[in-house]
Amino acid sequence: MKIETVKTFVVDAYRANYVFVKIIADDGTYGVGEGTVEHREQAVAHAIGEFEPLLLGRDPFATDATVELLSRDSYWRTGVVIRSAIAAIEAALLDLKGKALGVPVYELLGGKQRDCVPVYGNAWFAGARTAEDFAEKARLIVAQGWRALKWDPFGQNYLRLERTERMRAIGIVEAVRAAVGLDVELMIEGHGRFDVSTAISVAKDLAPFRPYWFEEPIPPESIPALADVRSKSPVPIAAGERYYEIQRFQELIAAHAVDYLQPDVSHVGGLAEARRIAAIAHAQYLPICPHNPLGPIANAMTLHVAASTPNFAWLETMVSDVSWRSEIVREHVVIRDGHMVIPTTPGLGIDINEDACAEYPPKPYLLRHYNGSLTNIRPAASVPFYQTA
């Protein structure tokens, strides 16, 4: 069996554009992967195209050797674009291999350690502006069975947070906690907003409302600064979505900078690399909770890492998506009692519809974190896409 064809699809998904890859072997067996990078989607698609000459004619089962080749021969080796392109390719090869062997991808990663994984919902707050808006949306989503919620209450602020804005943000958290009670976990997202002193102050303000963690409280560049925040924060700290190399995660662990590691499976270079990061975290008894707000194939990739990784704690996922998601992918994912059920079908358990992908060409989207439109991450016609039980 040899790799014969590599196809790339960039598909409008409102918050970003999904980047899918399909790799087809000469016997017709194929696999799919995803390397979506918000606001850099075309760069990832182009990178996949540049890797194509290295892929054609190779053994599709030799996934680790192929990833090593692509990393070595890219010369620049790292960064979110290159690593996401490699992750998409690796996922497609693992999907192909799983289908060819008739086993789920988690069997290629050492086997299943759990039948389901706890999930926390993102995007449940779409369109909210006031504390009352957030509280009402939280009530509605909890009534649908979600037991953990994440969101960013900090508007368009950056580095500093004036007293009025701080009180507004904390008021939103207070309203949501009052709306959902103490049995629902709340994860507070910082999006790398604050300087050290502001992050520490905000963490102290958040503490009475018992958040599960305070995520990415400061910009990602300085690990010692993050360690400083963690040492003074009464709230656990989560971070890792904007680190790509395993060495950065080693540094995070050595600096005692986080309580929860959040590698993104589709940004660190793939499923195997995510599991290597999880292994060094497990050696220090740290849980991993991968960043996973991207597309449907990335969710499937992360779910197989969740199935096969002992220290996997939480799966992030979006609660809704564009109305055409069901047209572009074929998936069957079930959430039961706040847990996502691990699929048992061969490969990743997901497929794409090429014709439908072509019907939704990519559109340009700008970063919303600092322009006052942060909560506009889903269109008015967005729909739930997971079966809940």
Side-chain angles (χ1 to χ4, degrees):
M1 187 186 294
K2 301 294 182 184
I3 296 173
E4 187 173 76
T5 306
V6 179
K7 297 182 178 181
T8 305
F9 307 87
V10 184
V11 185
D12 176 27
Y14 188 77
R15 174 179 176 267
N17 295 288
Y18 294 148
V19 182
F20 300 147
V21 64
K22 183 174 184 177
I23 295 179
I24 308 170
D26 53 4
D27 71 346
T29 308
Y30 67 88
V32 296
E34 181 178 344
T36 301
V37 176
E38 304 95 320
H39 325 301
R40 296 294 181 272
E41 304 94 339
Q42 296 292 359
V44 176
H46 189 77
I48 294 170
E50 290 184 327
F51 282 136
E52 183 176 352
L54 295 173
L55 295 171
L56 298 179
R58 287 185 63 82
D59 176 4
F61 278 26
T63 53
D64 284 0
T66 297
V67 167
E68 185 68 20
L69 171 72
L70 299 182
S71 177
R72 183 197 72 186
D73 284 13
S74 70
Y75 188 73
W76 299 108
R77 298 176 64 89
T78 191
V80 69
V81 170
I82 293 295
R83 294 217 169 210
S84 297
I86 291 173
I89 291 165
E90 184 221 45
L93 294 176
L94 288 170
D95 185 38
L96 185 158
K97 187 174 184 178
K99 290 173 180 173
L101 297 176
V103 298
V105 163
Y106 60 71
E107 295 290 4
L108 309 178
L109 304 176
K112 186 168 62 171
Q113 302 212 17
R114 55 183 61 85
D115 294 321
C116 58
V117 62
V119 292
Y120 65 90
N122 199 339
W124 56 272
F125 51 81
R129 288 289 181 269
T130 66
E132 293 75 16
D133 291 340
F134 282 95
E136 181 58 26
K137 287 179 178 290
R139 287 189 197 95
L140 292 173
I141 202 69
V142 167
Q144 296 174 22
W146 293 82
R147 307 308 300 162
L149 308 176
K150 184 177 87 167
W151 83 106
D152 179 338
F154 301 111
Q156 63 188 77
N157 294 283
Y158 182 62
L159 295 182
R160 304 296 297 172
L161 193 61
E162 298 300 327
R163 180 175 178 80
T164 299
E165 287 299 308
R166 180 179 299 180
M167 296 307 295
R168 176 185 177 278
I170 299 303
I172 290 172
V173 177
E174 181 179 20
V176 171
R177 173 56 80 198
V180 302
L182 294 177
D183 292 334
V184 175
E185 300 293 359
L186 303 181
M187 289 77 165
I188 306 302
E189 168 72 85
H191 281 128
R193 289 181 180 278
F194 302 122
D195 59 25
V196 168
S197 62
T198 303
I200 294 168
S201 296
V202 169
K204 292 176 179 177
D205 287 342
L206 291 171
F209 307 106
R210 296 177 57 183
Y212 197 85
W213 67 51
F214 186 14
E215 180 174 330
E216 211 180 18
I218 65 170
E221 287 79 10
S222 175
I223 290 174
L226 184 60
D228 189 22
V229 172
R230 182 186 178 242
S231 71
K232 298 178 176 66
S233 171
V235 176
I237 298 298
E241 70 184 66
R242 287 195 272 181
Y243 299 102
Y244 318 119
E245 307 90 353
I246 193 171
Q247 292 85 353
R248 301 294 81 73
F249 289 92
Q250 288 177 312
E251 292 167 9
L252 280 168
I253 294 167
H256 303 285
V258 294
D259 298 283
Y260 298 94
L261 283 176
Q262 296 179 297
D264 186 307
V265 174
S266 65
H267 294 341
V268 298
L271 288 77
E273 192 72 353
R275 294 189 74 246
R276 293 185 192 104
I277 292 167
I280 63 171
H282 193 40
Q284 299 298 321
Y285 309 110
L286 281 174
I288 67 162
C289 308
H291 178 250
N292 182 47
L294 302 175
I297 303 177
N299 184 76
M301 292 157 60
T302 309
L303 198 56
H304 283 269
V305 172
S308 57
T309 303
N311 56 325
F312 197 108
W314 285 92
L315 177 72
E316 176 181 17
T317 196
M318 296 298 207
V319 304
S320 63
D321 205 347
V322 291
S323 59
W324 53 90
R325 174 164 169 151
S326 61
E327 298 177 45
I328 62 175
V329 296
R330 292 183 288 274
E331 59 183 333
H332 179 68
V333 184
V334 176
I335 294 178
R336 181 179 298 122
D337 297 326
H339 291 67
M340 189 174 289
V341 178
I342 307 295
T344 57
T345 50
L348 289 172
I350 192 168
D351 201 358
I352 62 172
N353 182 325
E354 293 187 34
D355 292 338
C357 286
E359 291 178 12
Y360 299 97
K363 297 178 182 178
Y365 294 103
L366 300 176
L367 185 69
R368 298 176 170 97
H369 295 170
Y370 310 113
N371 66 6
S373 60
L374 174 63
T375 63
N376 295 337
I377 63 172
R378 285 292 182 263
S382 63
V383 295
F385 49 86
Y386 293 136
Q387 178 182 338
T388 56

